[in-house]
Amino acid sequence: ETTKDVLTIATSIYRCLIASDNAGLTIQLTPALVKMMMRRTSHVRGELKTKMQGLTSLFFGFCASCSMAAIKANHDLAESLKEGSSFIFKDWEMRSGIFKSNLIQTGINDMWFANRSDEGIIYAKYFDPLSVEILVLVLTVVS
């Protein structure tokens, strides 16, 4: 039971390090522990991508219809947001407020700060200040 608790804590810290690129930390682990941790941490990008897909859809008003008109409108909207990385702006139509989009903050909150047991709350030192790597990770999964 103690080994499981230690592994859970180590995995959470490792996930924070991966997200914030503080992986310069030297840790001596057995191959079995490394394998177990990697199994649990390799999902950070996928987990964030899943969260951001729903948020992006709601934030920019993508339509959930299967009609050809809706598909074309969604495609056109996606292309306009990707053009010049417009989605990173608070006002994406006027392209003002770079990196101040509520989508970015909401995604970060949902991923790392949704409740008191989330990694961003428990291991706040890895998120204060928010690293460029975390911002890049969020923007990458949106694009």
Side-chain angles (χ1 to χ4, degrees), residues 70-117:
I71 292 170
K72 180 173 178 7
N74 285 343
H75 178 269
D76 292 346
L77 177 57
E79 289 301 314
S80 70
L81 290 168
K82 289 193 297 187
E83 183 180 319
S85 299
S86 295
F87 64 90
I88 67 175
F89 293 94
K90 184 172 183 124
D91 182 343
W92 60 276
E93 291 173 318
M94 297 299 295
R95 297 177 50 89
S96 64
I98 190 166
F99 302 122
K100 294 188 178 182
S101 169
N102 290 334
L103 174 65
I104 297 168
Q105 185 64 60
T106 303
I108 291 167
N109 291 350
D110 282 2
M111 181 67 182
W112 290 289
F113 297 92
N115 61 59
R116 65 181 180 190
S117 63

Side-chain angles (χ1 to χ4, degrees), residues 10 14 22 26-27 33 43 49 59 66 69 72 74 76 94 100 104-105 112 118 131 135 139:
Y14 189 65
N22 287 312
T26 303
I27 303 171
L33 287 176
H43 301 290
K49 186 174 181 178
F59 192 81
C66 292
K72 180 173 178 7
N74 285 343
D76 292 346
M94 297 299 295
K100 294 188 178 182
I104 297 168
Q105 185 64 60
W112 290 289
D118 273 351
S131 70
L135 181 59
L139 297 176

Side-chain angles (χ1 to χ4, degrees), residues 128-142:
D128 185 22
L130 189 69
S131 70
V132 171
E133 291 81 8
I134 289 177
L135 181 59
V136 168
L137 178 61
V138 172
L139 297 176
T140 300
V141 300
V142 171

Side-chain angles (χ1 to χ4, degrees), residues 2-3 13 15-16 19 37 43-44 51 74 76 78 82 101 105 116 122 125:
T2 302
T3 302
I13 292 171
R15 284 171 51 102
C16 294
M37 285 177 61
H43 301 290
V44 173
K51 290 176 188 285
N74 285 343
D76 292 346
K82 289 193 297 187
S101 169
Q105 185 64 60
R116 65 181 180 190
I122 296 172
K125 70 180 182 178

